[in-house]
Amino acid sequence: QVLWKPQHQHGQSPFQRPPHAATMGATMSKIEEGMRKPRVQVAKKRMTKLLSTAWWLGGHSVWTLMTSVIVLAVPVFFEYEKECQMFEMQASMQSAQMAAAAPA
């Protein structure tokens, strides 16, 4: 009875690369070879320029948006809070007057 069966076939070394490993190396060589073509180099430069321009534009857009919010929206928010406090103060003064006038 066999308790342990090796994973390799007869006549094949257990340390030999599987067949797909050689294919992977060939694939990587083809990719590297393709990356050296002039059209690919031009496309790579254009993509790099596009991404750097998009990063610059995105950063400036976010800065403009945040600055606009700070300059335009924050004062409106503070004015709204001040108005709410004024209305609360008026309501408390009116209720105090009504309470003072009621027992008489």
Side-chain angles (χ1 to χ4, degrees), residues 58-68:
H60 282 76
S61 299
V62 168
W63 181 85
T64 303
L65 180 69
M66 290 291 102
T67 303
S68 299

Side-chain angles (χ1 to χ4, degrees), residues 27-45:
T27 304
M28 292 303 291
S29 296
K30 291 278 188 184
I31 290 173
E32 288 174 3
E33 180 182 318
M35 291 297 288
R36 283 179 278 206
K37 292 184 179 178
R39 292 179 71 182
V40 175
Q41 292 292 324
V42 169
K44 182 179 175 184
K45 286 179 187 176

Side-chain angles (χ1 to χ4, degrees), residues 19-95:
H20 62 79
T23 306
M24 185 64 184
T27 304
M28 292 303 291
S29 296
K30 291 278 188 184
I31 290 173
E32 288 174 3
E33 180 182 318
M35 291 297 288
R36 283 179 278 206
K37 292 184 179 178
R39 292 179 71 182
V40 175
Q41 292 292 324
V42 169
K44 182 179 175 184
K45 286 179 187 176
R46 286 181 181 171
M47 188 60 88
T48 303
K49 179 71 173 171
L50 175 69
L51 291 175
S52 67
T53 302
W55 183 259
W56 177 87
L57 181 63
H60 282 76
S61 299
V62 168
W63 181 85
T64 303
L65 180 69
M66 290 291 102
T67 303
S68 299
V69 165
I70 291 169
V71 169
L72 300 172
V74 171
V76 172
F77 173 74
F78 283 125
E79 193 62 34
Y80 177 75
E81 284 296 316
K82 195 161 60 169
E83 190 174 327
C84 286
Q85 286 178 355
M86 184 183 69
F87 283 130
E88 287 175 11
M89 192 180 300
Q90 284 179 349
S92 67
M93 288 167 63
Q94 190 175 19
S95 65

